[in-house]
Amino acid sequence: MRAEVGDHLHIHSRAVGIVDREGEVIEVHGQGGEPPYLVRFEDGHETLIFPGPDCTVRHRPAQG
């Protein structure tokens, strides 16, 4: 998995009744865009994430 600052991580729920989470990558701590990522969620909570198989990256649109 590779991400850049400004990309969004979407963490899919693994259980019924638990909502998916999405947050913005605000720091990349791995080399070449690799994890871990510091992510800020919608509620303002920030945490260091090592994404698992339940996580996808939505890349920000290219600036033209």
Side-chain angles (χ1 to χ4, degrees):
M1 174 175 291
R2 296 192 187 279
E4 298 179 358
V5 171
D7 289 347
H8 282 249
L9 288 185
H10 185 106
I11 303 171
H12 301 275
S13 171
R14 294 178 285 168
V16 174
I18 298 176
V19 297
D20 291 359
R21 296 188 72 195
E22 186 168 325
E24 181 180 358
V25 175
I26 56 175
E27 292 179 8
V28 176
H29 290 264
Q31 294 183 349
E34 294 181 359
Y37 308 118
L38 184 62
V39 176
R40 181 181 300 128
F41 291 97
E42 301 92 357
D43 63 1
H45 178 77
E46 296 178 5
T47 191
L48 195 62
I49 301 270
F50 288 84
D54 58 344
C55 186
T56 56
V57 175
R58 184 169 45 97
H59 299 285
R60 67 181 171 175
Q63 308 247 342

